[in-house]
Amino acid sequence: MFDVAVFGSLFLTLFVIMDPPGITPIFLALTSGRPAKVQKRMAFQAVCVAGGVITVFGLLGHQILNYLHVSVPALMIAGGLLLLLIALDLLTGKTDEPKQTKDVNVALVPLGMPLLAGPGAIVSVILAVQKADSATTQVSVWAAILAIHVVLWVVMRYSLLIIRVIKDGGVVLVTRLAGMMLSAIAVQQIINGVTQVIQGA
């Protein structure tokens, strides 16, 4: 009742798209200045939000997009633009200001969505669920989805140990680096969306 090939394929795809190692500096940058207990809770919340979004789209993805008359490329472009705005805040240091971050639960946006449950992950899950034509492959698909979220939680949960080593100055540096990486991810996502629009025209 388990298809290793399907599990491995989807898990690796989501690992590359959701990028647990790459999310670490972004998580540290967005949650810096908060108590360790709050950061741990936010890591769990982010994974729960991402899991909830992925699950909903996995079950009802095509129906939701068709009802809203939204294409997959449009979803990718919109997600890319949102990530780009967040990246600019990280690069310019706006997230260092208490009013910008302390009262906002970044575990919901942008960590949960669109960083973790972004267009790429959503589309991959929609396609995987659609192709799963038996109980065995369905179980394998959802097992892979659960496994990648467990990995994401573990990585973010224990990334807090890094803060004790790099201190405040290191967090500022990580914030700037995260902004650069996030802006590149955002631009690439927009390019991919525009490319698909052109190819489909």
Side-chain angles (χ1 to χ4, degrees), residues 13-14 16 22 24-25 43 94 135 153 174 198-199:
T13 299
L14 292 177
V16 171
T24 301
K94 288 185 178 180
W153 174 75
V174 167
I198 295 173
Q199 290 176 344

Side-chain angles (χ1 to χ4, degrees), residues 27-98:
F27 173 74
L28 291 174
L30 292 174
T31 62
S32 63
R34 292 178 171 83
K37 185 177 180 180
V38 173
Q39 289 176 312
K40 293 175 183 177
R41 185 173 71 245
M42 293 178 80
F44 181 73
Q45 289 176 336
V47 170
C48 288
V49 169
V53 171
I54 291 292
T55 299
V56 169
F57 275 93
L59 296 173
L60 305 170
H62 279 291
Q63 293 89 328
I64 292 173
L65 294 182
N66 289 336
Y67 178 77
L68 297 175
H69 302 290
V70 174
S71 66
V72 171
L75 186 65
M76 295 177 70
I77 295 171
L81 290 173
L82 179 57
L83 288 181
L84 188 58
L85 291 174
I86 296 161
L88 291 175
D89 280 346
L90 291 175
L91 284 170
T92 56
K94 288 185 178 180
T95 54
D96 294 335
E97 300 174 14

Side-chain angles (χ1 to χ4, degrees), residues 52-200:
V53 171
I54 291 292
T55 299
V56 169
F57 275 93
L59 296 173
L60 305 170
H62 279 291
Q63 293 89 328
I64 292 173
L65 294 182
N66 289 336
Y67 178 77
L68 297 175
H69 302 290
V70 174
S71 66
V72 171
L75 186 65
M76 295 177 70
I77 295 171
L81 290 173
L82 179 57
L83 288 181
L84 188 58
L85 291 174
I86 296 161
L88 291 175
D89 280 346
L90 291 175
L91 284 170
T92 56
K94 288 185 178 180
T95 54
D96 294 335
E97 300 174 14
K99 290 182 180 179
Q100 295 290 332
T101 59
K102 306 305 181 187
D103 299 327
V104 177
N105 189 352
V106 296
L108 306 180
V109 176
L111 278 175
M113 183 177 180
L115 281 177
L116 296 181
I122 289 173
V123 171
S124 296
V125 169
I126 289 175
L127 294 177
V129 172
Q130 185 180 20
K131 292 177 182 177
D133 53 2
S134 67
T136 299
T137 51
Q138 283 283 352
V139 169
S140 303
V141 164
W142 290 105
I145 294 171
L146 177 61
I148 191 62
H149 283 83
V150 170
V151 171
L152 285 166
W153 174 75
V154 170
V155 169
M156 288 192 292
R157 168 69 172 75
Y158 290 99
S159 67
L160 301 177
L161 299 174
I162 298 174
I163 296 178
R164 300 176 185 175
V165 177
I166 64 177
K167 306 299 183 183
D168 291 341
V171 170
V172 173
L173 176 61
V174 167
T175 299
R176 300 299 181 266
L177 291 174
M180 290 188 64
M181 290 191 303
L182 194 57
S183 62
I185 293 171
V187 170
Q188 185 61 57
Q189 193 163 287
I190 293 172
I191 291 172
N192 292 343
V194 172
T195 300
Q196 288 191 26
V197 170
I198 295 173
Q199 290 176 344

